[in-house]
Amino acid sequence: MEHQRCTCSPSAVARYRSRISGPLLDRIDLQLEVSQPKDWREEKESLSSAEMRRQVLAAQAIQTRRYGKLSFSWNSELSGQMLRKYAVLEQSAAELLNQTMDALGLSMRAYDRILKLSRTIADLNESEKIKTSHVAEAIQYRNMDRARASFTED
């Protein structure tokens, strides 16, 4: 199968993406645009499946301990006061998230999704507090939010 590169203008792509409503996008945790890398055949150093599995199991164990006596087990189930209690941001991380919210005009639902995802990334890194790097990574996973913001600025 031969792949052809899209010839649509950026504004045409943005118009197409804008058909997805904001409230619907807010409910999607991970929004990634994945393209085929130019050098996909080159072998690069990356985590093995076994190492990834170890990290995921370690993060699950952290969450199991953290929420052991509560009625939920995972970061994805956090909301309201529990989200604010267990997803504590370092000051610089809070500033980054607030600046991003303002710059992209994101909803509070998107804020909470980014916060939960940041908590999970911190768990994967075995970090008690959510750091700026964790928030920055979570924001990167909100690709459609950024695309929607750039379309509304045109």
Side-chain angles (χ1 to χ4, degrees), residues 14-31:
R15 273 194 309 278
Y16 180 78
R17 286 181 174 167
S18 71
R19 293 179 183 172
I20 302 172
S21 73
L24 176 63
L25 278 178
D26 284 347
R27 289 173 171 83
I28 301 172
D29 290 340
L30 300 174
Q31 308 165 5

Side-chain angles (χ1 to χ4, degrees), residues 50-64:
E51 179 57 23
M52 285 183 202
R53 178 175 163 69
R54 188 207 63 76
Q55 284 185 346
V56 169
L57 291 174
Q60 286 179 332
I62 289 169
Q63 291 176 39
T64 298

Side-chain angles (χ1 to χ4, degrees), residues 28-62:
I28 301 172
D29 290 340
L30 300 174
Q31 308 165 5
L32 297 174
E33 185 174 322
V34 180
S35 59
Q36 183 178 21
K38 291 180 175 43
D39 56 355
W40 64 275
R41 291 182 180 101
E42 292 180 19
E43 198 167 318
K44 293 185 179 181
E45 191 174 320
S46 62
L47 289 178
S48 68
S49 294
E51 179 57 23
M52 285 183 202
R53 178 175 163 69
R54 188 207 63 76
Q55 284 185 346
V56 169
L57 291 174
Q60 286 179 332
I62 289 169

Side-chain angles (χ1 to χ4, degrees), residues 3-154:
H3 296 281
Q4 295 182 358
R5 187 164 191 82
C6 178
T7 58
C8 300
S9 70
S11 62
V13 172
R15 273 194 309 278
Y16 180 78
R17 286 181 174 167
S18 71
R19 293 179 183 172
I20 302 172
S21 73
L24 176 63
L25 278 178
D26 284 347
R27 289 173 171 83
I28 301 172
D29 290 340
L30 300 174
Q31 308 165 5
L32 297 174
E33 185 174 322
V34 180
S35 59
Q36 183 178 21
K38 291 180 175 43
D39 56 355
W40 64 275
R41 291 182 180 101
E42 292 180 19
E43 198 167 318
K44 293 185 179 181
E45 191 174 320
S46 62
L47 289 178
S48 68
S49 294
E51 179 57 23
M52 285 183 202
R53 178 175 163 69
R54 188 207 63 76
Q55 284 185 346
V56 169
L57 291 174
Q60 286 179 332
I62 289 169
Q63 291 176 39
T64 298
R65 281 192 305 273
R66 182 185 301 130
Y67 308 128
K69 295 180 181 173
L70 300 172
S71 63
F72 56 89
S73 304
W74 312 112
N75 294 333
S76 61
E77 299 172 284
L78 289 170
S79 64
Q81 286 182 316
M82 291 295 167
L83 179 59
R84 304 301 177 257
K85 178 179 179 178
Y86 291 106
V88 178
L89 298 169
E90 289 186 342
Q91 181 63 35
S92 59
E95 290 169 7
L96 173 63
L97 184 50
N98 289 332
Q99 289 169 356
T100 300
M101 294 295 294
D102 291 341
L104 299 181
L106 301 179
S107 69
M108 285 309 296
R109 183 179 287 121
Y111 179 94
D112 286 353
R113 298 280 181 178
I114 292 169
L115 198 54
K116 291 179 206 182
L117 188 51
S118 298
R119 172 73 271 160
T120 300
I121 293 167
D123 289 344
L124 286 166
N125 288 293
E126 299 180 9
S127 174
E128 184 61 33
K129 280 208 168 180
I130 301 172
K131 299 178 181 179
T132 305
S133 62
H134 304 140
V135 170
E137 185 176 344
I139 290 167
Q140 291 301 309
Y141 295 135
R142 299 294 296 192
N143 195 36
M144 297 296 285
D145 288 333
R146 293 192 310 277
R148 188 175 58 206
S150 66
F151 177 69
T152 57
E153 291 171 2
D154 290 344

